[in-house]
């Protein structure tokens, strides 16, 4: 097969040995694979693939058709349309996925949408619901709402009956996020729209002091992105005064059974919304896999609404 | 009645109008009332009593006999031995307690022990179990383990089958804490005994960076004391790497129904241990209520093991 590979910090489109499905795994003909911030970190050498994932092929999510199955596979068969979060290796013509982490692709998603769905929606659902426990009638603030995870979190918040306040740095993207049902504000004005029961922090440390001060009683912050830097300075009295809590999390480092649990939560709680048309996967741009370097550059330049997705066939 | 009162930042033992039990409240003849850090804060003008509590009488916990009941009281009758966390007013000959927050005094507790039990054990149980979810087989670190809440948390941790590591600043008190079943270490050496599933932070901000770094995967920190200062500087990447969380909390500011729920958790999960002799209330010293100023000075000077308790009758 051919694959996007990282060699000495550069992306190439090269021949690579096919992966082999082991017990419980699916071999998937990849039709689309979304880009994520983790790919840029890995390219820069800061985010090595976990054990069991290809060390030199990036890509944290994919959608495609099952080509073959390993021993013991029960849930999927050759020809099924699947999508999944993977530890790495998604940006290739073929990849392996453990069946416990694979999701069926609803008919309402095309390949590009399916390839850009798993990482963003699993991350958003896990952060906002499994960790922070957002509930109907609450107020959710999403910092950095125009990116893949932000767009997912805004839609999930709106779907669950929360009032969603979204900060978007780029004024050109605010209308797009508002169309998802959020009250969109400039980052420096967010606190005036609180207090918040849940804050999803996709920007990082510099926001945290004000996030804590904007919490309602019993409020929760979940930090899953630190693009603006990891260092946070907070007053613990502020946190105690609201009886709040701060979560930090990543999806990639989790053991298989936890990833499977996160996928199962998406299957039960998010896929029905996709099927019913309540949730969409905005795709900002697609690139052929062979043009991965160009796609990464587009991702890095920011100012996009939704996902950048690599697609097969060129 | 007579009561400890705060006038212009000074403590006095003065005549004061009796409180009157309203619907659902008990009028209690106070036999003992423990001191807490909150009393010192209130004396210094930093921690005013919440609405509905006497503004000028300190005291966050008490034990005594029911003298009279308000309308609608169902759980207790005149003559019952009760103890409770209150919003204020405990350091007086008489005080009112809502019946939903009152606990029966087990026969195994004398008045001084009962007067020093409610605040410390309710705070410790709420922080370590209700918030942080300490479970059998986990490792708990208690920072500041020789004080009232610390002694309670160590005993609850040991009772639940956790491995308990306790930091104690004063070397003279380490043996006493070790006798409760903890591995006692100097504060600067605690990280070598981790990683920890739960950290109970009773000291404050300066510890927090190292607390986060000493967490196990999925670890939880609960901050309920900031005597060393509220400012905390952490790396969010450290928190994300362990998928950890940080809670901040106080008991006093909660609405009645939450205080009642905390008391009910103590009734179900802690009182059985007291009755069976698994948990003790170390009392460092007792003072008559009329000598409250002396008792506060003893509390302020530190270096004590367990509670300072004011007792009635002089």
């Amino acid at each position: 097969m051919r694959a996007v590979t990282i060699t000495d910090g550069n992306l190439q489109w090269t021949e690579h040995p096919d992966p082999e499905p082991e017990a419980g795994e699916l071999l998937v003909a990849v039709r689309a694979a979304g880009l994520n911030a983790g790919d840029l970190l890995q390219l820069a050498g800061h985010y090595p693939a976990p054990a069991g994932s290809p060390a030199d092929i990036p890509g944290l999510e994919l959608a495609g058709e099952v080509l073959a199955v390993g021993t013991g596979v029960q849930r999927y068969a050759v020809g099924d349309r699947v999508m999944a979060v993977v530890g790495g290796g998604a940006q290739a013509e073929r990849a392996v996925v453990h069946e416990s982490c694979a999701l069926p692709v609803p008919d309402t998603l095309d390949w590009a949408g399916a390839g850009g769905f798993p990482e963003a929606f699993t991350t958003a659902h896990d952060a906002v619901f499994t960790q922070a426990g957002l509930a109907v009638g609450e107020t959710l603030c999403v910092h950095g709402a125009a990116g893949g995870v932000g767009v997912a979190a805004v839609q999930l918040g709106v779907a669950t009956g929360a009032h969603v306040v979204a900060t978007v740095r780029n004024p050109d993207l605010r209308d797009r996020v508002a169309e998802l049902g959020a009250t969109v504000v400039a980052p420096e004005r967010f606190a005036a729209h609180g207090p918040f029961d849940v804050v999803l922090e996709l920007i990082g440390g510099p926001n945290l002091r004000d996030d804590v001060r904007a919490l309602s009683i019993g409020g929760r912050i979940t930090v899953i992105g630190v693009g603006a830097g990891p260092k946070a300075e907070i007053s613990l009295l502020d946190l105690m005064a609201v009886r709040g809590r701060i979560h930090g999390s990543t999806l990639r480092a989790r053991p298989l059974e936890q990833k499977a649990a996160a996928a199962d939560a998406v299957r039960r709680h998010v896929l029905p919304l996709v099927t019913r048309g309540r949730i969409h996967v905005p795709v900002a741009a697609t690139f052929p896999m062979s043009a991965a370097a160009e796609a990464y550059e587009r991702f890095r330049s920011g100012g996009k609404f939704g996902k950048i997705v690599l697609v097969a066939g060129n």
Side-chain angles (χ1 to χ4, degrees), chain A:
Chain A
M1 69 168 185
R2 288 168 299 174
V4 178
T5 53
I6 297 176
T7 309
D8 297 333
N10 292 306
L11 291 167
Q12 296 184 301
W13 177 242
T14 58
E15 279 295 326
H16 199 282
D18 273 24
E20 305 244 346
E22 298 187 6
E25 290 184 337
L26 317 174
L27 178 66
V28 177
V30 179
R31 301 293 295 265
L35 261 60
N36 291 281
D39 299 328
L40 293 186
L41 287 174
Q42 184 170 347
L43 181 61
H46 299 317
Y47 197 44
S53 295
D56 57 340
I57 306 176
L60 301 173
E61 61 183 341
L62 60 80
E65 287 144 332
V66 177
L67 277 180
V69 299
T71 56
V73 164
Q74 300 188 323
R75 304 185 199 178
Y76 296 98
V78 171
D80 284 350
R81 282 161 39 104
V82 297
M83 56 186 179
V85 174
V86 293
Q91 295 167 8
E93 290 178 326
R94 296 176 178 193
V96 292
V97 176
H98 196 279
E99 68 163 340
S100 67
C101 297
L103 297 166
V105 177
D107 292 340
T108 46
L109 284 185
D110 61 15
W111 283 123
F117 172 89
E119 175 75 15
F121 280 85
T122 306
T123 299
H125 184 271
D126 183 82
V128 173
F129 294 89
T130 306
Q131 292 184 58
L134 181 70
V136 62
E138 289 195 318
T139 299
L140 166 70
C141 175
V142 179
H143 281 303
V149 177
V151 163
V154 167
Q155 292 184 83
L156 289 170
V158 169
T160 202
H163 173 57
V164 180
V165 174
T167 72
V168 177
R169 173 72 54 194
N170 186 337
D172 296 341
L173 301 178
R174 288 182 189 152
D175 285 351
R176 303 295 302 274
V177 176
E179 285 164 10
L180 301 176
T183 299
V184 179
V185 302
E188 59 276 14
R189 303 236 176 96
F190 87 101
H193 297 263
F196 304 108
D197 299 294
V198 174
V199 176
L200 180 63
E201 183 52 75
L202 297 164
I203 304 300
N207 282 356
L208 210 67
R209 172 192 292 259
D210 290 336
D211 288 347
V212 172
R213 288 185 175 161
L215 284 183
S216 61
I217 300 291
R220 298 82 73 191
I221 298 167
T222 299
V223 182
I224 56 173
V226 291
K231 190 174 129 180
E233 197 182 293
I234 61 171
S235 164
L236 296 176
L237 282 177
D238 290 342
L239 190 66
M240 294 164 70
V242 295
R243 309 194 284 283
R245 62 182 206 249
I246 304 168
H247 296 254
S249 185
T250 65
L251 207 56
R252 194 181 195 185
R254 299 186 196 180
L256 179 64
E257 62 271 21
Q258 290 184 17
K259 288 180 177 172
D264 192 52
V266 171
R267 186 197 329 268
R268 289 182 290 130
H269 300 297
V270 184
L271 288 190
L273 299 170
V274 176
T275 301
R276 277 146 50 198
R278 294 280 302 273
I279 275 181
H280 302 91
V281 185
V283 174
T286 62
F287 293 82
M289 283 200 190
S290 57
E294 191 182 340
Y296 277 53
E297 195 48 47
R298 175 72 189 84
F299 189 97
R300 190 182 287 113
S301 67
K304 61 188 172 46
F305 176 74
K307 300 286 296 190
I308 308 287
V309 181
L310 297 178
V311 293
N314 51 332

